Amino acid sequence: MPDAVYVHDAFARIADRYVLTNHVLSCGMDIIWRKIVTARIRKWKPERLLDVASGTGDLALEIQDQCPQCEVIASDFCAEMLAHAASRGIAKTIVADALKLPFKDQEFDVVTVAFGLRNMADYPAALREMNRVLKPGGRLVILDFSLPEGIMRGPYRWYLHNILPHMAGFLTGQKDAYEYLGGSIEQFPSGKGMTDLLETCGFGKTAATPITFGVVTIYEGTR
């Protein structure tokens, strides 16, 4: 699993250009992916939601805009990233380690984490913390990269390891901050591997929904 100190320092260095870089590297698809997630959440009409590893607040902002009845709290362990989230309009932010969330048991209707769980030092510990702060019947939604199946798999892996780090380095001036990305996606549990992990961490009604040819996957679980 990723080294927490390295991940923190890497995100701190790219915070200023993180949003633009994501849009360019995904050809704008990251905006659509977050809208898909938010559309699901809006149907549940949550009153209180925690966005873990919120970074610059892209998902939290979308949910805050589309679910005005919901109190959205954005948390991240990188203060530099979270400062950008606050400056972009996130009403409530808190610097916090996902492995030790500073909230009481059963506080939230929904917990989200977009492209963040993969960077955490201990996936099961983080998932158990998210389970702890969810109300009974509350839902966890994870949005993260995965590897496509079939004909798309080879070209996508080549892009991950050969093109993406160079493009990201050009945009941010911090190529090394993205060199680990391909490996982290390769090693991250996906599909049944992730739903099995969710179940061992206390979640039921788990589901995995690949989108954009399986480049990303939406995972859901219920406490």
Side-chain angles (χ1 to χ4, degrees):
M1 295 186 187
D3 176 83
V5 174
Y6 174 79
V7 171
H8 178 280
D9 291 346
F11 279 113
R13 285 186 280 124
I14 63 176
D16 290 343
R17 297 193 175 186
Y18 184 73
V19 175
L20 173 63
T21 303
N22 285 346
H23 294 343
V24 172
L25 294 178
S26 70
C27 300
M29 289 302 299
D30 63 312
I31 298 171
I32 296 174
W33 298 333
R34 292 183 179 92
K35 288 185 180 296
I36 293 172
V37 169
T38 301
R40 294 187 179 205
I41 292 170
R42 187 171 58 240
K43 295 177 182 179
W44 304 332
K45 299 180 179 178
E47 295 181 358
R48 200 156 188 251
L49 178 147
L50 174 65
D51 186 41
V52 178
S54 192
T56 51
D58 295 80
L59 180 59
L61 275 170
E62 186 68 28
I63 296 169
Q64 186 175 268
D65 289 344
Q66 297 300 320
C67 304
Q69 83 290 346
C70 182
E71 177 188 19
V72 177
I73 299 174
S75 72
D76 199 283
F77 80 149
C78 181
E80 292 85 352
M81 295 284 279
L82 210 55
H84 284 274
S87 70
R88 297 173 70 204
I90 296 296
K92 296 187 177 181
T93 64
I94 182 169
V95 178
D97 187 342
L99 304 185
K100 193 175 182 181
L101 294 171
F103 301 104
K104 298 178 182 178
D105 295 353
Q106 303 180 14
E107 283 202 40
F108 297 96
D109 302 297
V110 177
V111 172
T112 58
V113 53
F115 307 109
L117 179 62
R118 177 174 38 81
N119 296 317
M120 294 178 190
D122 190 329
Y123 308 147
L127 290 170
R128 285 192 291 268
E129 269 294 270
M130 296 177 206
N131 184 280
R132 179 184 66 79
V133 300
L134 274 171
K135 297 176 182 178
R139 302 174 191 252
L140 169 68
V141 183
I142 300 167
L143 172 66
D144 217 314
F145 290 113
S146 50
L147 292 175
E149 297 294 335
I151 194 171
M152 289 289 295
R153 191 179 185 91
Y156 180 66
R157 291 182 68 197
W158 186 84
Y159 167 78
L160 275 182
H161 296 288
N162 296 282
I163 301 299
L164 185 147
H166 295 286
M167 290 179 61
F170 174 77
L171 291 167
T172 65
Q174 303 289 338
K175 180 184 174 184
D176 68 296
Y178 284 87
E179 286 181 329
Y180 88 101
L181 181 60
S184 74
I185 294 172
E186 297 265 12
Q187 297 168 19
F188 190 59
S190 62
K192 189 175 185 300
M194 177 56 73
T195 56
D196 286 348
L197 178 58
L198 289 173
E199 289 168 9
T200 64
C201 293
F203 292 95
K205 299 180 181 178
T206 60
T209 306
I211 54 178
T212 315
F213 306 106
V215 169
V216 296
T217 301
I218 300 171
Y219 302 98
E220 295 181 32
T222 301
R223 173 169 178 172

